[in-house]
Amino acid sequence: MKRKLRMGMVGGGIGAFIGAVHRIAAAMDGEIELVCGAFSSDPAKSKESGIMLGLPPERVYPSWWDMIEQEKQLPENVRMDFISIVTPNHVHFAPAKAALENGFHVVLDKPMTFTLAEAKELKQVVEQSGKLFCLTHTYTGYPMLKEARQVVKEGRLGKIRKVYVEYPQGWLSTLAEKTDNKQASWRTDPSRSGIAGAMGDIGTHAFNMAEYVTGAKVTELCADLNIVVEGRQLDDDGMVMLRFDNGASGMLFATQVAAGEENNVKIRVYGEKGGLEWRQEDANSLILKWPDQPAQILRTGAGYLSSYAAHNTRTPPGHPEGYLEAFANLYRNFAQSVVAMEKGATPSKESLDFPGAEDGVRGMAFVENVVRSGKSAEKWVAFEV
């Protein structure tokens, strides 16, 4: 009889936003169950969170280290199979490394780590452990972004020339970190978020989308970073010019001070034969543009889409599949790959299509190169990994 994969969680306790999103996404397809957790650095809050989630008291731990140490002592048919880490950035590396070294697979919220050096080390640990690692760059879980990747890969747009990717938000248009806004307080704090603000938080998503859809790698960049809201410690706005290894050029902008904007992440790619456009506000549609015929609108759930789009679609055409479903696709593909691997089988190519350690390293390299360029008078810098 098929069983569910058993998940342990680090972070995501009472009052946390992203922890609940991860739990919903993990549970959506009935392939994963939450069995234990260390939900807060405060043991009392962790216990309270575990009770709220209906977990047995003995499977709610005061720290992530206690969870890893005690879970590995449990019988194989009881202990967790993998750990999901949903903490602020500065608490990504240590629990992920410890989990991998103690025989557990890992799902980690982005960005991968606090620094590029940590990301490189963690990638080595992943490779040495033989365990699976998933980084939750949510937007690549959308069926129509997967279709966009296939359109480019099949050469339907011809040689790619231009890439434009953007992520405008407006929730930090004021000094929200000086209020009781928990999300604002840690995401704008260099000691917990790292050396970048908007570029580390949402710029990494845009960067990941650009490389995922085009299949090309950034080789050089030129960044202009700004702190718009007076009193803020990290960038809340920025633009980055990009050069890719296939000869294409592009532009990325990420801002959290575009008052009135929500999460309208968008990508446009242009080749010698045509272009494509996708935006989250109409996530079920992928627009293909041609110089000699009307634009085409491809829709989620349609029979003409690739196996990658079909594999990540749950409902018939016309039923919106959004952020939670895209998030769930990452968990489902990860779970299917873990199950196949544990059985000694090869996961399907569609199941293996989720962000991993290499994406994490390049994301942290993006952050550090952008900050380096932003501080440079010469501006254009080689993309160093």
Side-chain angles (χ1 to χ4, degrees):
M1 186 176 83
K2 181 180 178 181
R3 71 169 180 88
K4 294 183 179 182
L5 284 184
R6 296 180 289 268
M7 178 176 82
M9 178 167 278
V10 176
I14 294 171
F17 154 67
I18 203 65
V21 171
H22 276 260
R23 290 191 290 270
I24 292 169
M28 186 173 290
D29 294 290
E31 299 185 10
I32 297 169
E33 62 179 333
L34 178 69
V35 298
C36 62
F39 300 102
S40 173
S41 56
D42 179 346
K45 190 172 181 180
S46 178
K47 182 177 181 180
E48 183 182 359
S49 299
I51 292 172
M52 180 188 71
L53 292 168
L55 293 177
E58 67 273 15
R59 301 291 291 277
V60 182
Y61 300 98
S63 72
W64 60 262
W65 180 249
D66 287 305
M67 183 172 77
I68 291 172
E69 282 291 296
Q70 294 184 44
E71 284 290 314
K72 74 176 183 180
Q73 303 301 325
L74 296 176
E76 188 176 348
N77 65 341
V78 175
R79 65 173 176 252
M80 66 181 180
D81 295 297
F82 75 95
I83 186 171
S84 174
I85 302 168
V86 297
T87 55
N89 304 349
H90 70 300
V91 194
H92 282 188
F93 174 74
K97 181 175 183 287
L100 291 162
E101 291 177 339
N102 282 278
F104 298 108
H105 306 282
V106 170
V107 174
L108 179 61
D109 201 45
K110 66 84 221 162
M112 188 174 182
T113 49
F114 194 66
T115 65
L116 176 57
E118 285 184 346
K120 289 179 178 179
E121 183 178 346
L122 188 56
K123 181 175 181 286
Q124 290 182 334
V125 174
V126 171
E127 293 167 349
Q128 293 165 0
S129 71
K131 297 299 177 180
L132 286 182
F133 175 87
C134 174
L135 188 68
T136 55
H137 275 297
T138 317
Y139 306 101
T140 59
Y142 276 105
M144 299 316 283
L145 258 191
K146 293 187 178 298
E147 187 66 16
R149 176 179 170 88
Q150 294 308 306
V151 167
V152 173
K153 190 174 183 179
E154 292 167 4
R156 293 165 63 184
L157 302 184
K159 180 178 172 59
I160 300 304
R161 294 169 168 170
K162 300 295 295 185
V163 182
Y164 298 95
V165 61
E166 60 190 68
Y167 199 151
Q169 292 179 336
W171 73 291
L172 288 177
S173 293
T174 61
L175 203 62
E177 57 266 44
K178 297 301 183 182
T179 68
D180 60 354
N181 188 319
K182 181 179 178 180
Q183 293 299 313
S185 65
W186 81 257
R187 291 177 192 274
T188 60
D189 179 359
S191 68
R192 290 181 284 174
S193 185
I195 61 173
M199 280 297 163
D201 190 15
I202 58 176
T204 48
H205 274 310
F207 169 77
N208 179 256
M209 283 175 55
E211 291 202 335
Y212 177 78
V213 171
T214 64
K217 302 296 184 185
V218 172
T219 57
E220 293 179 281
L221 57 77
C222 177
D224 177 38
L225 301 187
N226 306 298
I227 297 176
V228 175
V229 176
E230 187 176 352
R232 183 157 288 153
Q233 298 184 72
L234 294 172
D235 61 280
D236 50 21
D237 171 77
M239 301 189 73
V240 187
M241 291 189 288
L242 307 170
R243 292 173 180 164
F244 294 84
D245 61 1
N246 63 350
S249 61
M251 175 68 75
L252 179 156
F253 93 76
T255 183
Q256 294 174 314
V257 296
E261 289 286 357
E262 296 174 340
N263 285 275
N264 191 20
V265 57
K266 176 180 178 180
I267 186 168
R268 290 172 290 161
V269 178
Y270 300 97
E272 58 187 354
K273 297 179 181 178
L276 64 78
E277 178 179 326
W278 178 89
R279 59 190 179 97
Q280 185 174 230
E281 288 190 350
D282 185 15
N284 274 29
S285 297
L286 174 66
I287 302 174
L288 302 184
K289 303 178 180 182
W290 312 107
D292 56 353
Q293 58 182 299
Q296 291 176 278
I297 301 178
L298 309 186
R299 295 282 292 168
T300 300
Y304 49 72
L305 299 178
S306 69
S307 62
Y308 289 87
H311 176 76
N312 291 279
T313 301
R314 295 174 178 77
T315 57
H319 293 78
E321 297 203 22
Y323 177 78
L324 292 174
E325 288 84 358
F327 220 119
N329 285 337
L330 303 185
Y331 269 97
R332 182 178 62 177
N333 290 343
F334 170 81
Q336 290 176 351
S337 297
V338 169
V339 169
M341 191 177 82
E342 297 293 349
K343 291 180 177 178
T346 301
S348 72
K349 62 184 187 298
E350 291 86 0
S351 295
L352 285 169
D353 185 24
F354 57 83
E358 177 63 21
D359 298 279
V361 170
R362 290 194 63 79
M364 287 309 304
F366 169 77
V367 169
E368 296 203 0
N369 282 295
V370 161
V371 171
R372 180 164 62 93
S373 172
K375 293 179 178 179
S376 168
E378 296 179 0
K379 305 309 284 183
W380 278 105
V381 299
F383 192 93
E384 298 178 358
V385 180

